[in-house]
Amino acid sequence: MKKQILFLTILLSIILSCQSIDYKENKIINKMLLESIDEDRSLNPMYREFRAAWFSTVANIDWPVMGGSEAKQKALIIKYLDTLYNNNFNAVFVQVKPDAGVIFKSKINPTTRYFFGINPEDERDDYPFKTDMLEFIINEAHKRNIEVHAWFNPYRISLKYDTNKSYEEQFSKKNFIHTYVSNGLKPVHWYDNRLYLDPGEPISSKYVIDSVVEVVENYDIDGIHFDDYFYQNSLNGKTYRDWPDKVSSSKYASNLGYDANNTSYDNYGVDGLYAWRRNNINNLVSSIYKEIKSRKPYVKWTISPAGVWRNKEPLSEYNGDPNGSDSKSYNPNFDALHADVLLWMLNGQKTTTLSNAAEKDGLNKMYIDAIIPQIYWSSSHRTVPFDKMINWWVGQARKATNKNIADIYIGHALYKMGREDKYEPWKDVWVMSKQVDYIRYVGKGYIKGSSFFTMHNMYLNDVGTGDYGYKAIDNIKKNNYIFKAIVPTMNTMSDINTPPLKLENPSLKKSFGVNVISFTDPNEYKLDKYSHVLNGVSVYYVIYRKKENNGKLEIIDKIRREDFNTNCKIVYRDEKADKNVKYVYYVTALDRIHNESEYLVIQ
C-alpha cells in the first residue's frame, strides 16, 4: 500500500507539472522562449540550466530527524525531493559527510551523530537503519530526474569538542581521529572550538580521498562536492598566520622547495609557508579530480567557495591584487584559506590575472568541473555587492581561452530571506528572482545555473525565514523556472559527449480526448564495472511541445527510463493539452551527463 501511495504521489506531481505555461505577460521569459526546435537550446536557460539546492545535515540544519525512525527520515527526504521536483529544480547537494561521521553505511567512517544527537558521544560505529539513506536519496531523486551530488566537508573532524575529555571518551572507534593520533599527530583545535585535520599532513589528504572514493565506487551519484572549508577562516582575531602547522611544515615543505620559515606574503612566486599551504590544497583538489575520473569519468566534481577570490585593494592583513574584485572581504579564498579558487575554475590555465603564476603555483592541471561561488549578498551590500561579484567572475571566465574552463553556477543566500537589514532588501520576495535574471543576462555562456542555501528555507513558517524563503522560491518558479530544464553539459566533459541514439517509431493518438504519444528507444542499456549506467546511454526522455501553427517551444516533461530493453516502447499521456489545439511534439533521449539525441517529431 505504501508503495502505491508513493507512486500516486509522484504521478500526481508529474501531472500537475505538465500544465501549459502562461508566459505572455513576462517579457524577459517571452524573449528567451524559442519558436523552433531547430534553434540553439544549449545555452538557453529556459531549456538548459542547472537548478539546485543544498541539503544540509550538519547540526541537523535540514536533515536528519534527530532520533527519528527510518520512516520519519524517509518522509522528510521525500518532502524535500518533491519540493525540488515541483519547483522545477534538477539537482541537489546532499551533505553526506558533515564531519568525521557520514549518513550512509561506511566501512571507513562512523555513522553521523546527527541521527542521534549533537554531541561527539552520539556518533556510532554501527548503522541504525535497514535502508542506506544515501542509496534511498539517490533512488528517489533519480525517479524525479534530479541529480545527486555527494557533499563532503574534507578536514573537519568535529563541530564540538570538550577539552576536558579524551578522544576515546568522545568519539566512536571508527572515527579517523584515532588513526590520526596513533601516527603521532595532533588535530587542530581552531578558535571556533572545532577539531580539524591539518591539510599539510599527507595522511589527511589520503583520508579525504579515501572517503570520497568509497562513495564514488559504491553509489550511483552524479557528482562529488566540497564547500568552502579548507584552511580555516579568520575568527576571534586569529587568522591564517595563527594556523598551527609548524610540525607538518617543518617535515614536508623543504622537500617540495618551500621555505617554512619564510612568512612573506603569499603572492605568486613566493616559495614560503603560505605558498606551501596553497600547494597542499591545490594537490588535494587536482588529486580528487584524477581519482574520480579514473573510476567514473561521468561523475562531476564541484566546489562552492566563498564568493571572493582576492580583493583588489589591501584590507587588514591581506594584500590586494590588481586583478581582484572591487570588494572588502575579510576572508578572501586565496589569502585567508590558501584556496586558489580562480586557478581551479581556469583548470590551471594562465590568464592575464594569473600572469605571475608559475608551474609551481599549479598551472596546467585539471582541478574541477564546476565552481559555485557563494555570492551570499544582494546588490545593495556595501562591501561585496552581488552584481559586482557576478561581473568579476564572468570577467575572469572571459579571459580564458582553454576549452576546459570549469562551468560556473552561482550560490544564492536563500537563508537570509526575511531578515531585517538596513542596507539589503531581504524582505523583498523578488530579490532571488531578480538575481536569477541578472546572472542569466550578464553570465550568458559562462554562468549555467544556480544553487540555493538551504532546503528548509523553502517552506512556509520556516524558523529562519518565516514565509519569505517560500515566497522567494515561488516567485522563481513562476517567473524563472516556469518549466523543467535539462542540466547543461559541461565544458570539461567534451571528450565523452556522445549522445544517445535518436528515438524511433513516433505515434500520436487520441484516447478519450487525451493526446497519447509513443516512441521506441533503440539504445542498449550499458553498465560500468560498478553496475552503474554509463554515459552515452539513454536514462531519460524529454518531451517538448508547441502549438502547430504558432506558439513557443516548451518542455512539458522529463521521463525516467524504466524499461531497460533495447527497442522498448514508451507511452506518454499529455493530460494537460488543450483539446481544441493541435500540437507538435518533439522527443529526445538524454544520457546521465545530459548529452541529448537528435529530436524525433511526433504529430
Side-chain angles (χ1 to χ4, degrees):
M1 178 63 72
K2 289 181 179 178
K3 289 184 178 180
Q4 291 177 334
I5 293 172
L6 176 60
F7 173 77
L8 290 172
T9 300
I10 294 172
L11 180 62
L12 178 60
S13 64
I14 288 173
I15 291 171
L16 291 175
S17 73
C18 298
Q19 300 178 34
S20 280
I21 308 302
D22 183 11
Y23 53 81
K24 293 180 181 178
E25 300 303 318
N26 190 319
K27 293 181 180 179
I28 296 175
I29 294 296
N30 195 48
K31 189 174 181 179
M32 286 192 291
L33 289 171
L34 304 179
E35 295 183 359
S36 171
I37 189 73
D38 292 313
E39 295 180 72
D40 183 15
R41 306 183 302 283
S42 63
L43 296 177
N44 187 319
M46 298 310 302
Y47 306 96
R48 285 272 187 175
E49 188 172 48
F50 188 79
R51 303 170 179 176
W54 280 286
F55 181 110
S56 309
T57 60
V58 64
N60 304 88
I61 290 176
D62 292 322
W63 184 88
V65 181
M66 189 185 299
S69 65
E70 182 168 321
K72 286 185 176 180
Q73 307 295 353
K74 289 180 176 180
L76 186 53
I77 289 167
I78 293 297
K79 174 184 175 181
Y80 286 150
L81 293 177
D82 280 345
T83 296
L84 294 175
Y85 180 89
N86 291 328
N87 284 289
N88 295 332
F89 283 64
N90 53 28
V92 63
F93 295 103
V94 179
Q95 194 173 27
V96 300
K97 189 176 183 296
D99 48 27
V102 298
I103 70 168
F104 55 91
K105 296 178 182 178
S106 172
K107 293 182 179 179
I108 61 178
N109 287 306
T111 299
T112 181
R113 72 190 66 174
Y114 300 118
F115 283 128
F116 317 106
I118 59 173
N119 296 311
E121 296 88 343
D122 293 314
E123 197 174 71
R124 294 187 188 176
D125 290 333
D126 59 322
Y127 196 73
F129 308 119
K130 291 181 180 179
T131 302
D132 185 311
M133 288 300 160
L134 178 54
E135 187 172 342
F136 180 77
I137 290 169
I138 292 168
N139 290 339
E140 292 300 322
H142 284 175
K143 288 178 185 177
R144 296 160 175 81
N145 294 312
I146 294 171
E147 284 193 339
V148 177
H149 297 246
W151 166 19
F152 292 74
N153 188 293
Y155 295 114
R156 186 166 65 204
I157 286 291
S158 180
L159 203 67
K160 297 178 70 176
Y161 174 58
D162 187 342
T163 56
N164 296 315
K165 293 182 179 180
S166 68
Y167 298 138
E168 287 77 10
E169 289 177 288
Q170 296 183 72
F171 301 108
S172 68
K173 293 179 181 179
K174 284 173 73 174
N175 192 305
F176 183 72
I177 198 169
H178 305 302
T179 301
Y180 201 73
V181 298
S182 70
N183 280 270
L185 304 175
K186 184 179 180 180
V188 175
H189 184 212
W190 192 235
Y191 296 91
D192 54 7
N193 198 36
R194 299 170 183 176
L195 281 181
Y196 299 92
L197 303 178
D198 180 0
E201 290 290 347
I203 193 175
S204 301
S205 296
K206 184 180 185 306
Y207 165 70
V208 172
I209 292 170
D210 288 347
S211 296
V212 168
V213 167
E214 180 182 41
V215 171
V216 171
E217 291 185 341
N218 293 298
Y219 294 90
D220 191 17
I221 52 163
D222 301 288
I224 295 292
H225 180 70
F226 281 7
D227 50 20
D228 54 335
Y229 286 87
F230 297 100
Y231 283 89
Q232 289 312 297
N233 291 341
S234 302
L235 192 69
N236 296 329
K238 302 298 181 180
T239 71
Y240 67 94
R241 293 176 179 171
D242 300 293
W243 185 260
D245 59 355
K246 288 185 178 179
V247 173
S248 58
S249 62
S250 64
K251 285 190 294 186
Y252 305 113
S254 61
N255 291 337
L256 296 172
Y258 297 94
D259 179 3
N261 296 314
N262 180 0
T263 55
S264 299
Y265 198 84
D266 178 23
N267 288 311
Y268 292 115
V270 178
D271 294 332
L273 173 65
Y274 308 132
W276 171 73
R277 290 179 184 171
R278 182 159 45 84
N279 183 64
N280 293 332
I281 304 301
N282 283 346
N283 284 342
L284 175 71
V285 173
S286 62
S287 294
I288 289 176
Y289 183 92
K290 292 176 184 176
E291 295 294 336
I292 293 171
K293 303 303 178 180
S294 67
R295 291 167 173 80
K296 295 180 177 178
Y298 53 80
V299 168
K300 302 169 182 180
W301 169 215
T302 64
I303 295 176
S304 55
V308 176
W309 171 66
R310 305 188 78 179
N311 299 310
K312 182 182 291 184
E313 301 296 333
L315 180 69
S316 186
E317 67 272 22
Y318 307 122
N319 279 6
D321 185 292
N323 292 292
S325 54
D326 188 10
S327 56
K328 293 181 180 179
S329 169
Y330 285 89
N331 278 299
N333 285 276
F334 183 99
D335 308 278
L337 310 181
H338 309 298
D340 195 351
V341 298
L342 177 60
L343 179 78
W344 306 344
M345 183 188 81
L346 297 170
N347 276 316
Q349 182 182 171
K350 191 170 186 174
T351 65
T352 54
T353 298
L354 307 185
S355 59
N356 293 327
E359 292 290 323
K360 198 171 183 179
D361 293 302
L363 297 179
N364 301 319
K365 291 182 180 180
M366 290 296 293
Y367 288 96
I368 54 174
D369 294 306
I371 196 158
I372 313 172
Q374 298 172 24
I375 315 295
Y376 285 173
W377 312 285
S378 74
S379 293
S380 301
H381 197 281
R382 292 177 294 169
T383 60
V384 275
F386 180 86
D387 53 351
K388 287 187 177 180
M389 295 312 306
I390 296 297
N391 295 349
W392 184 86
W393 282 99
V394 173
Q396 296 306 312
R398 292 185 192 280
K399 294 179 179 181
T401 57
N402 190 326
K403 67 177 183 178
N404 284 328
I405 182 175
D407 291 339
I408 306 173
Y409 312 136
I410 298 300
H412 302 265
L414 184 66
Y415 72 98
K416 289 186 176 181
M417 291 302 303
R419 285 188 179 184
E420 292 285 354
D421 193 294
K422 184 178 179 180
Y423 299 99
E424 295 192 88
W426 297 117
K427 289 201 169 184
D428 175 4
V429 295
W430 290 96
V431 65
M432 295 279 143
S433 178
K434 293 172 185 175
Q435 287 187 351
V436 172
D437 281 339
Y438 189 82
I439 64 174
R440 284 175 169 181
Y441 177 72
V442 173
K444 187 175 182 180
Y446 297 99
I447 297 176
K448 296 185 178 180
S450 298
S451 189
F452 297 85
F453 186 84
T454 183
M455 271 301 312
H456 75 83
N457 302 131
M458 294 187 175
Y459 297 94
L460 291 169
N461 302 312
D462 169 49
V463 173
T465 64
D467 294 345
Y468 286 91
Y470 169 83
K471 290 177 180 177
I473 293 298
D474 187 54
N475 282 334
I476 286 172
K477 180 184 180 182
K478 290 176 179 176
N479 296 277
N480 307 99
Y481 299 175
I482 64 170
F483 51 69
K484 300 193 183 304
I486 304 165
V487 172
T489 55
M490 308 199 87
N491 297 333
T492 53
M493 293 186 174
S494 60
D495 59 333
I496 53 172
N497 65 354
T498 302
L501 298 173
K502 180 179 178 179
L503 302 169
E504 299 174 343
N505 300 318
S507 173
L508 171 59
K509 297 179 180 179
K510 289 276 189 180
S511 176
F512 299 101
V514 174
N515 289 346
V516 180
I517 64 172
S518 65
F519 50 91
T520 57
D521 185 353
N523 290 279
E524 181 182 356
Y525 199 75
K526 299 178 181 179
L527 306 179
D528 61 16
K529 66 179 181 180
Y530 304 102
S531 297
H532 298 147
V533 64
L534 285 163
N535 53 286
V537 175
S538 62
V539 295
Y540 70 94
Y541 314 106
V542 178
I543 314 294
Y544 298 90
R545 185 184 70 188
K546 72 182 295 291
K547 294 177 182 178
E548 190 173 59
N549 297 321
N550 53 50
K552 302 286 188 173
L553 184 70
E554 303 169 5
I555 292 177
I556 62 167
D557 216 344
K558 292 155 67 179
I559 310 170
R560 199 73 183 180
R561 182 173 180 175
E562 295 180 349
D563 188 332
F564 306 117
N565 296 309
T566 306
N567 296 317
C568 58
K569 183 177 181 179
I570 296 90
V571 178
Y572 179 81
R573 294 172 60 86
D574 184 4
E575 301 280 358
K576 294 300 177 179
D578 188 329
K579 297 177 181 179
N580 299 314
V581 175
K582 287 189 175 181
Y583 295 98
V584 179
Y585 294 88
Y586 308 93
V587 293
T588 60
L590 287 99
D591 71 356
R592 65 176 305 140
I593 57 173
H594 312 289
N595 293 312
E596 189 170 18
S597 72
E598 294 180 37
Y599 64 81
L600 177 70
V601 182
I602 304 180
Q603 61 182 344

